[in-house]
Short mmCIF file of all heavy atoms in Angstrom, two decimals:
data_model
loop_
_atom_site.label_atom_id
_atom_site.label_comp_id
_atom_site.label_asym_id
_atom_site.label_seq_id
_atom_site.Cartn_x
_atom_site.Cartn_y
_atom_site.Cartn_z
N MET W 1 46.97 -207.65 -3.08
CA MET W 1 46.80 -206.22 -3.15
C MET W 1 47.99 -205.57 -2.44
O MET W 1 48.42 -206.03 -1.39
CB MET W 1 45.48 -205.84 -2.48
CG MET W 1 45.09 -204.41 -2.73
SD MET W 1 43.48 -203.98 -2.06
CE MET W 1 42.42 -204.60 -3.34
N SER W 2 48.49 -204.50 -3.00
CA SER W 2 49.68 -203.86 -2.44
C SER W 2 49.33 -203.06 -1.19
O SER W 2 48.17 -202.70 -0.95
CB SER W 2 50.31 -202.94 -3.48
OG SER W 2 49.50 -201.81 -3.69
N SER W 3 50.34 -202.79 -0.40
CA SER W 3 50.16 -201.99 0.81
C SER W 3 49.65 -200.60 0.48
O SER W 3 48.82 -200.04 1.21
CB SER W 3 51.48 -201.89 1.58
OG SER W 3 51.90 -203.15 2.00
N PHE W 4 50.15 -200.03 -0.61
CA PHE W 4 49.72 -198.70 -1.01
C PHE W 4 48.24 -198.68 -1.33
O PHE W 4 47.52 -197.76 -0.93
CB PHE W 4 50.54 -198.22 -2.21
CG PHE W 4 50.12 -196.87 -2.70
CD1 PHE W 4 50.44 -195.73 -1.99
CD2 PHE W 4 49.40 -196.73 -3.89
CE1 PHE W 4 50.05 -194.47 -2.43
CE2 PHE W 4 49.01 -195.49 -4.34
CZ PHE W 4 49.35 -194.35 -3.61
N ALA W 5 47.76 -199.68 -2.04
CA ALA W 5 46.34 -199.74 -2.41
C ALA W 5 45.47 -199.86 -1.16
O ALA W 5 44.44 -199.19 -1.04
CB ALA W 5 46.08 -200.89 -3.36
N LEU W 6 45.87 -200.71 -0.24
CA LEU W 6 45.11 -200.85 1.00
C LEU W 6 45.11 -199.55 1.80
O LEU W 6 44.08 -199.16 2.37
CB LEU W 6 45.70 -201.98 1.85
CG LEU W 6 45.43 -203.39 1.35
CD1 LEU W 6 46.20 -204.41 2.19
CD2 LEU W 6 43.95 -203.70 1.38
N TYR W 7 46.24 -198.88 1.85
CA TYR W 7 46.34 -197.61 2.56
C TYR W 7 45.40 -196.58 1.93
O TYR W 7 44.68 -195.88 2.62
CB TYR W 7 47.79 -197.12 2.52
CG TYR W 7 48.04 -195.89 3.35
CD1 TYR W 7 48.38 -196.00 4.70
CD2 TYR W 7 47.94 -194.62 2.81
CE1 TYR W 7 48.61 -194.88 5.47
CE2 TYR W 7 48.16 -193.50 3.57
CZ TYR W 7 48.50 -193.63 4.90
OH TYR W 7 48.71 -192.52 5.66
N LEU W 8 45.41 -196.52 0.61
CA LEU W 8 44.57 -195.54 -0.10
C LEU W 8 43.09 -195.86 0.06
O LEU W 8 42.28 -194.94 0.23
CB LEU W 8 44.96 -195.51 -1.58
CG LEU W 8 44.98 -194.14 -2.23
CD1 LEU W 8 45.83 -193.17 -1.44
CD2 LEU W 8 45.48 -194.23 -3.64
N ILE W 9 42.72 -197.11 0.02
CA ILE W 9 41.31 -197.49 0.22
C ILE W 9 40.84 -197.09 1.61
O ILE W 9 39.76 -196.51 1.77
CB ILE W 9 41.12 -199.00 -0.02
CG1 ILE W 9 41.26 -199.33 -1.51
CG2 ILE W 9 39.75 -199.47 0.49
CD1 ILE W 9 41.33 -200.80 -1.82
N GLY W 10 41.66 -197.34 2.61
CA GLY W 10 41.31 -196.94 3.97
C GLY W 10 41.19 -195.43 4.10
O GLY W 10 40.28 -194.92 4.77
N PHE W 11 42.09 -194.72 3.47
CA PHE W 11 42.06 -193.25 3.53
C PHE W 11 40.83 -192.70 2.83
O PHE W 11 40.21 -191.75 3.30
CB PHE W 11 43.34 -192.69 2.90
CG PHE W 11 43.79 -191.41 3.53
CD1 PHE W 11 44.54 -191.43 4.70
CD2 PHE W 11 43.46 -190.19 2.98
CE1 PHE W 11 44.95 -190.24 5.29
CE2 PHE W 11 43.87 -189.01 3.56
CZ PHE W 11 44.63 -189.03 4.73
N ILE W 12 40.43 -193.31 1.72
CA ILE W 12 39.24 -192.86 1.00
C ILE W 12 37.99 -193.12 1.83
O ILE W 12 37.06 -192.29 1.86
CB ILE W 12 39.16 -193.51 -0.39
CG1 ILE W 12 40.25 -192.91 -1.29
CG2 ILE W 12 37.78 -193.35 -1.02
CD1 ILE W 12 40.41 -193.58 -2.62
N ILE W 13 37.94 -194.25 2.53
CA ILE W 13 36.80 -194.53 3.42
C ILE W 13 36.74 -193.50 4.54
O ILE W 13 35.66 -193.01 4.90
CB ILE W 13 36.89 -195.97 3.96
CG1 ILE W 13 36.65 -196.97 2.83
CG2 ILE W 13 35.90 -196.18 5.10
CD1 ILE W 13 36.93 -198.40 3.20
N LEU W 14 37.90 -193.13 5.08
CA LEU W 14 37.95 -192.09 6.12
C LEU W 14 37.44 -190.76 5.58
O LEU W 14 36.62 -190.08 6.23
CB LEU W 14 39.39 -191.94 6.63
CG LEU W 14 39.63 -190.77 7.58
CD1 LEU W 14 38.96 -191.05 8.92
CD2 LEU W 14 41.11 -190.54 7.76
N ILE W 15 37.87 -190.38 4.39
CA ILE W 15 37.43 -189.12 3.78
C ILE W 15 35.93 -189.14 3.53
O ILE W 15 35.24 -188.14 3.77
CB ILE W 15 38.22 -188.84 2.49
CG1 ILE W 15 39.68 -188.57 2.82
CG2 ILE W 15 37.61 -187.67 1.72
CD1 ILE W 15 40.58 -188.53 1.60
N ALA W 16 35.42 -190.27 3.07
CA ALA W 16 33.97 -190.38 2.82
C ALA W 16 33.19 -190.19 4.12
O ALA W 16 32.16 -189.50 4.13
CB ALA W 16 33.65 -191.72 2.18
N GLY W 17 33.66 -190.78 5.19
CA GLY W 17 32.99 -190.61 6.48
C GLY W 17 33.02 -189.17 6.96
O GLY W 17 32.02 -188.64 7.47
N LEU W 18 34.17 -188.53 6.82
CA LEU W 18 34.28 -187.12 7.22
C LEU W 18 33.41 -186.22 6.35
O LEU W 18 32.77 -185.29 6.86
CB LEU W 18 35.74 -186.67 7.15
CG LEU W 18 36.68 -187.28 8.19
CD1 LEU W 18 38.13 -186.89 7.87
CD2 LEU W 18 36.30 -186.86 9.58
N ALA W 19 33.36 -186.50 5.06
CA ALA W 19 32.54 -185.70 4.16
C ALA W 19 31.06 -185.87 4.49
O ALA W 19 30.29 -184.90 4.48
CB ALA W 19 32.80 -186.09 2.71
N TYR W 20 30.64 -187.09 4.79
CA TYR W 20 29.25 -187.32 5.16
C TYR W 20 28.90 -186.60 6.47
O TYR W 20 27.84 -185.97 6.58
CB TYR W 20 28.98 -188.83 5.30
CG TYR W 20 27.56 -189.14 5.67
CD1 TYR W 20 26.52 -188.93 4.76
CD2 TYR W 20 27.23 -189.62 6.93
CE1 TYR W 20 25.21 -189.21 5.09
CE2 TYR W 20 25.92 -189.90 7.27
CZ TYR W 20 24.91 -189.69 6.35
OH TYR W 20 23.62 -189.96 6.69
N GLY W 21 29.81 -186.65 7.44
CA GLY W 21 29.60 -185.94 8.69
C GLY W 21 29.50 -184.43 8.48
O GLY W 21 28.65 -183.77 9.08
N ALA W 22 30.35 -183.89 7.62
CA ALA W 22 30.30 -182.46 7.33
C ALA W 22 29.00 -182.10 6.62
O ALA W 22 28.40 -181.06 6.90
CB ALA W 22 31.50 -182.06 6.47
N PHE W 23 28.53 -182.97 5.73
CA PHE W 23 27.26 -182.74 5.04
C PHE W 23 26.10 -182.72 6.04
O PHE W 23 25.22 -181.87 5.96
CB PHE W 23 27.04 -183.82 3.97
CG PHE W 23 25.71 -183.71 3.28
CD1 PHE W 23 25.50 -182.73 2.32
CD2 PHE W 23 24.68 -184.59 3.58
CE1 PHE W 23 24.28 -182.63 1.68
CE2 PHE W 23 23.47 -184.49 2.95
CZ PHE W 23 23.26 -183.51 1.99
N MET W 24 26.14 -183.65 6.99
CA MET W 24 25.08 -183.70 8.00
C MET W 24 25.10 -182.48 8.91
O MET W 24 24.07 -182.09 9.45
CB MET W 24 25.20 -184.99 8.83
CG MET W 24 24.98 -186.27 8.03
SD MET W 24 23.38 -186.35 7.22
CE MET W 24 22.32 -186.62 8.60
N LEU W 25 26.28 -181.88 9.09
CA LEU W 25 26.39 -180.67 9.90
C LEU W 25 25.99 -179.41 9.13
O LEU W 25 25.90 -178.33 9.72
CB LEU W 25 27.81 -180.52 10.42
CG LEU W 25 28.21 -181.48 11.54
CD1 LEU W 25 29.70 -181.34 11.84
CD2 LEU W 25 27.39 -181.21 12.79
N GLY W 26 25.81 -179.53 7.83
CA GLY W 26 25.37 -178.39 7.03
C GLY W 26 26.48 -177.58 6.42
O GLY W 26 26.28 -176.43 6.03
N VAL W 27 27.68 -178.16 6.31
CA VAL W 27 28.80 -177.47 5.67
C VAL W 27 28.51 -177.38 4.18
O VAL W 27 27.96 -178.31 3.58
CB VAL W 27 30.12 -178.23 5.94
CG1 VAL W 27 31.29 -177.59 5.22
CG2 VAL W 27 30.39 -178.33 7.43
N ALA W 28 28.87 -176.25 3.58
CA ALA W 28 28.63 -176.04 2.14
C ALA W 28 29.36 -177.10 1.31
O ALA W 28 30.49 -177.49 1.63
CB ALA W 28 29.09 -174.65 1.73
N LEU W 29 28.71 -177.56 0.26
CA LEU W 29 29.27 -178.63 -0.58
C LEU W 29 30.60 -178.24 -1.20
O LEU W 29 31.47 -179.11 -1.39
CB LEU W 29 28.27 -179.03 -1.66
CG LEU W 29 27.02 -179.76 -1.17
CD1 LEU W 29 26.10 -180.06 -2.35
CD2 LEU W 29 27.39 -181.04 -0.46
N ILE W 30 30.79 -176.98 -1.53
CA ILE W 30 32.05 -176.56 -2.13
C ILE W 30 33.20 -176.79 -1.16
O ILE W 30 34.28 -177.23 -1.54
CB ILE W 30 31.99 -175.09 -2.62
CG1 ILE W 30 33.23 -174.74 -3.43
CG2 ILE W 30 31.82 -174.13 -1.48
CD1 ILE W 30 33.29 -175.36 -4.78
N TRP W 31 32.98 -176.51 0.13
CA TRP W 31 34.04 -176.71 1.12
C TRP W 31 34.29 -178.18 1.40
O TRP W 31 35.42 -178.59 1.65
CB TRP W 31 33.71 -175.96 2.41
CG TRP W 31 33.80 -174.49 2.21
CD1 TRP W 31 32.78 -173.60 2.26
CD2 TRP W 31 34.98 -173.75 1.87
NE1 TRP W 31 33.25 -172.34 1.98
CE2 TRP W 31 34.59 -172.40 1.75
CE3 TRP W 31 36.31 -174.09 1.67
CZ2 TRP W 31 35.50 -171.39 1.42
CZ3 TRP W 31 37.20 -173.09 1.36
CH2 TRP W 31 36.81 -171.77 1.23
N ILE W 32 33.25 -178.98 1.33
CA ILE W 32 33.42 -180.43 1.48
C ILE W 32 34.28 -180.95 0.33
O ILE W 32 35.19 -181.75 0.53
CB ILE W 32 32.06 -181.15 1.53
CG1 ILE W 32 31.30 -180.74 2.80
CG2 ILE W 32 32.25 -182.66 1.47
CD1 ILE W 32 29.89 -181.26 2.88
N GLY W 33 34.01 -180.47 -0.88
CA GLY W 33 34.80 -180.88 -2.04
C GLY W 33 36.24 -180.44 -1.95
O GLY W 33 37.16 -181.21 -2.24
N VAL W 34 36.46 -179.20 -1.55
CA VAL W 34 37.83 -178.68 -1.43
C VAL W 34 38.62 -179.48 -0.39
O VAL W 34 39.75 -179.89 -0.64
CB VAL W 34 37.81 -177.17 -1.07
CG1 VAL W 34 39.18 -176.68 -0.65
CG2 VAL W 34 37.30 -176.36 -2.25
N CYS W 35 38.01 -179.69 0.75
CA CYS W 35 38.70 -180.45 1.81
C CYS W 35 38.95 -181.90 1.39
O CYS W 35 40.00 -182.47 1.72
CB CYS W 35 37.90 -180.40 3.10
SG CYS W 35 37.89 -178.75 3.85
N SER W 36 38.02 -182.48 0.66
CA SER W 36 38.20 -183.86 0.19
C SER W 36 39.38 -183.97 -0.77
O SER W 36 40.19 -184.90 -0.68
CB SER W 36 36.93 -184.37 -0.48
OG SER W 36 35.88 -184.43 0.44
N VAL W 37 39.50 -183.02 -1.68
CA VAL W 37 40.62 -183.04 -2.64
C VAL W 37 41.95 -182.87 -1.90
O VAL W 37 42.93 -183.57 -2.19
CB VAL W 37 40.43 -181.94 -3.71
CG1 VAL W 37 41.69 -181.75 -4.53
CG2 VAL W 37 39.26 -182.28 -4.60
N ILE W 38 41.98 -181.97 -0.93
CA ILE W 38 43.20 -181.77 -0.14
C ILE W 38 43.56 -183.04 0.62
O ILE W 38 44.73 -183.46 0.64
CB ILE W 38 43.04 -180.57 0.81
CG1 ILE W 38 42.98 -179.27 0.01
CG2 ILE W 38 44.17 -180.52 1.84
CD1 ILE W 38 42.55 -178.07 0.82
N LEU W 39 42.57 -183.68 1.24
CA LEU W 39 42.84 -184.90 2.01
C LEU W 39 43.27 -186.05 1.11
O LEU W 39 44.11 -186.87 1.50
CB LEU W 39 41.61 -185.29 2.83
CG LEU W 39 41.33 -184.41 4.04
CD1 LEU W 39 40.02 -184.81 4.69
CD2 LEU W 39 42.47 -184.52 5.04
N ILE W 40 42.72 -186.14 -0.10
CA ILE W 40 43.16 -187.18 -1.04
C ILE W 40 44.63 -186.96 -1.41
O ILE W 40 45.42 -187.91 -1.45
CB ILE W 40 42.26 -187.21 -2.29
CG1 ILE W 40 40.90 -187.79 -1.93
CG2 ILE W 40 42.90 -188.02 -3.41
CD1 ILE W 40 39.86 -187.68 -3.02
N GLY W 41 45.00 -185.71 -1.64
CA GLY W 41 46.41 -185.40 -1.93
C GLY W 41 47.31 -185.78 -0.77
O GLY W 41 48.37 -186.39 -0.96
N LEU W 42 46.90 -185.44 0.44
CA LEU W 42 47.68 -185.83 1.62
C LEU W 42 47.76 -187.34 1.77
O LEU W 42 48.79 -187.88 2.17
CB LEU W 42 47.08 -185.22 2.89
CG LEU W 42 47.34 -183.74 3.11
CD1 LEU W 42 46.53 -183.24 4.30
CD2 LEU W 42 48.82 -183.50 3.33
N GLY W 43 46.67 -188.02 1.46
CA GLY W 43 46.66 -189.48 1.53
C GLY W 43 47.64 -190.11 0.56
O GLY W 43 48.33 -191.07 0.90
N ILE W 44 47.71 -189.57 -0.63
CA ILE W 44 48.65 -190.10 -1.63
C ILE W 44 50.09 -189.85 -1.18
O ILE W 44 50.94 -190.74 -1.25
CB ILE W 44 48.37 -189.49 -3.01
CG1 ILE W 44 47.05 -190.01 -3.55
CG2 ILE W 44 49.51 -189.79 -3.99
CD1 ILE W 44 46.57 -189.33 -4.81
N ILE W 45 50.35 -188.64 -0.69
CA ILE W 45 51.70 -188.31 -0.25
C ILE W 45 52.14 -189.20 0.92
O ILE W 45 53.23 -189.77 0.90
CB ILE W 45 51.80 -186.82 0.14
CG1 ILE W 45 51.67 -185.96 -1.11
CG2 ILE W 45 53.10 -186.52 0.88
CD1 ILE W 45 51.48 -184.48 -0.81
N THR W 46 51.28 -189.34 1.91
CA THR W 46 51.66 -190.17 3.07
C THR W 46 51.69 -191.65 2.71
O THR W 46 52.51 -192.40 3.24
CB THR W 46 50.71 -189.94 4.26
OG1 THR W 46 49.37 -190.19 3.85
CG2 THR W 46 50.84 -188.54 4.80
N GLY W 47 50.81 -192.07 1.81
CA GLY W 47 50.82 -193.46 1.37
C GLY W 47 52.10 -193.83 0.67
O GLY W 47 52.67 -194.90 0.90
N VAL W 48 52.56 -192.96 -0.20
CA VAL W 48 53.82 -193.21 -0.90
C VAL W 48 54.98 -193.22 0.09
O VAL W 48 55.87 -194.08 0.02
CB VAL W 48 54.04 -192.15 -2.01
CG1 VAL W 48 55.46 -192.20 -2.54
CG2 VAL W 48 53.05 -192.35 -3.13
N ALA W 49 54.96 -192.30 1.03
CA ALA W 49 56.06 -192.22 2.01
C ALA W 49 56.09 -193.44 2.91
O ALA W 49 57.17 -193.94 3.25
CB ALA W 49 55.91 -190.96 2.84
N LYS W 50 54.94 -193.95 3.30
CA LYS W 50 54.91 -195.08 4.23
C LYS W 50 55.15 -196.43 3.55
O LYS W 50 55.63 -197.35 4.17
CB LYS W 50 53.58 -195.11 4.97
CG LYS W 50 53.44 -194.02 5.99
CD LYS W 50 52.15 -194.17 6.76
CE LYS W 50 51.96 -193.02 7.70
NZ LYS W 50 52.66 -193.16 8.95
N THR W 51 54.78 -196.56 2.29
CA THR W 51 54.89 -197.86 1.63
C THR W 51 56.07 -197.96 0.68
O THR W 51 56.28 -199.00 0.08
CB THR W 51 53.59 -198.18 0.85
OG1 THR W 51 53.37 -197.17 -0.13
CG2 THR W 51 52.41 -198.25 1.79
N ARG W 52 56.82 -196.88 0.54
CA ARG W 52 57.98 -196.89 -0.36
C ARG W 52 59.06 -197.80 0.20
O ARG W 52 59.36 -197.77 1.39
CB ARG W 52 58.52 -195.47 -0.49
CG ARG W 52 59.53 -195.33 -1.58
CD ARG W 52 60.00 -193.90 -1.66
NE ARG W 52 61.44 -193.95 -1.43
CZ ARG W 52 62.15 -193.03 -0.86
NH1 ARG W 52 61.59 -191.94 -0.40
NH2 ARG W 52 63.44 -193.16 -0.72
N THR W 53 59.65 -198.61 -0.66
CA THR W 53 60.75 -199.45 -0.21
C THR W 53 62.02 -198.62 -0.12
O THR W 53 62.27 -197.76 -0.95
CB THR W 53 60.97 -200.64 -1.17
OG1 THR W 53 61.23 -200.13 -2.48
CG2 THR W 53 59.76 -201.54 -1.21
N LYS W 54 62.78 -198.88 0.90
CA LYS W 54 64.02 -198.13 1.11
C LYS W 54 65.08 -198.60 0.13
O LYS W 54 65.20 -199.78 -0.18
CB LYS W 54 64.52 -198.33 2.54
CG LYS W 54 63.51 -197.95 3.60
CD LYS W 54 63.31 -196.47 3.65
CE LYS W 54 62.37 -196.11 4.77
NZ LYS W 54 61.77 -194.85 4.64
N ASP W 55 65.86 -197.66 -0.36
CA ASP W 55 66.99 -198.00 -1.23
C ASP W 55 68.10 -198.61 -0.36
O ASP W 55 68.45 -198.05 0.68
CB ASP W 55 67.52 -196.76 -1.94
CG ASP W 55 66.51 -196.20 -2.91
OD1 ASP W 55 65.67 -196.97 -3.41
OD2 ASP W 55 66.55 -194.98 -3.17
N GLU W 56 68.60 -199.73 -0.82
CA GLU W 56 69.68 -200.36 -0.06
C GLU W 56 71.00 -199.78 -0.49
O GLU W 56 71.31 -199.67 -1.67
CB GLU W 56 69.67 -201.87 -0.30
CG GLU W 56 68.44 -202.55 0.27
CD GLU W 56 68.51 -204.05 0.09
OE1 GLU W 56 69.62 -204.58 -0.08
OE2 GLU W 56 67.45 -204.67 0.12
N SER W 57 71.80 -199.39 0.49
CA SER W 57 73.13 -198.88 0.17
C SER W 57 74.08 -200.06 0.09
O SER W 57 73.95 -201.04 0.80
CB SER W 57 73.59 -197.89 1.24
OG SER W 57 73.63 -198.53 2.49
N PRO W 58 75.06 -199.96 -0.81
CA PRO W 58 76.01 -201.08 -0.96
C PRO W 58 76.86 -201.22 0.29
O PRO W 58 77.30 -200.25 0.90
CB PRO W 58 76.86 -200.68 -2.16
CG PRO W 58 76.67 -199.21 -2.30
CD PRO W 58 75.33 -198.88 -1.72
N ALA W 59 77.05 -202.47 0.71
CA ALA W 59 77.87 -202.74 1.91
C ALA W 59 79.34 -202.62 1.55
O ALA W 59 79.80 -203.09 0.51
CB ALA W 59 77.57 -204.12 2.44
N ASP W 60 80.09 -201.95 2.42
CA ASP W 60 81.53 -201.79 2.18
C ASP W 60 82.32 -202.90 2.82
O ASP W 60 82.07 -203.43 3.80
CB ASP W 60 82.01 -200.43 2.71
CG ASP W 60 81.44 -199.30 1.87
OD1 ASP W 60 81.45 -199.44 0.64
OD2 ASP W 60 81.01 -198.29 2.45
#
């Protein structure tokens, strides 16, 4: 399994836990959904940034 997939799975588990906690606190479902979508987007962006391989520059 790739590093990106593992990162995304962990991030989704984190979001699920936060969403469940917000639900237990009585936060409106629409706001839980909005925040979840935003966090998934952030997870994808940071996952790509952290797991991207660096371009090698040619040695002179």
Side-chain angles (χ1 to χ4, degrees):
M1 191 175 279
S2 70
S3 297
F4 178 73
L6 287 173
Y7 186 88
L8 220 52
I9 289 170
F11 212 83
I12 289 172
I13 291 171
L14 173 71
I15 293 170
L18 291 172
Y20 181 69
F23 176 76
M24 296 302 288
L25 287 172
V27 176
L29 290 178
I30 189 72
W31 290 114
I32 294 173
V34 167
C35 291
S36 296
V37 169
I38 291 169
L39 287 175
I40 288 171
L42 284 173
I44 291 172
I45 291 169
T46 57
V48 168
K50 288 184 184 277
T51 60
R52 191 179 120 211
T53 58
K54 303 290 184 200
D55 294 333
E56 293 183 22
S57 60
D60 291 317

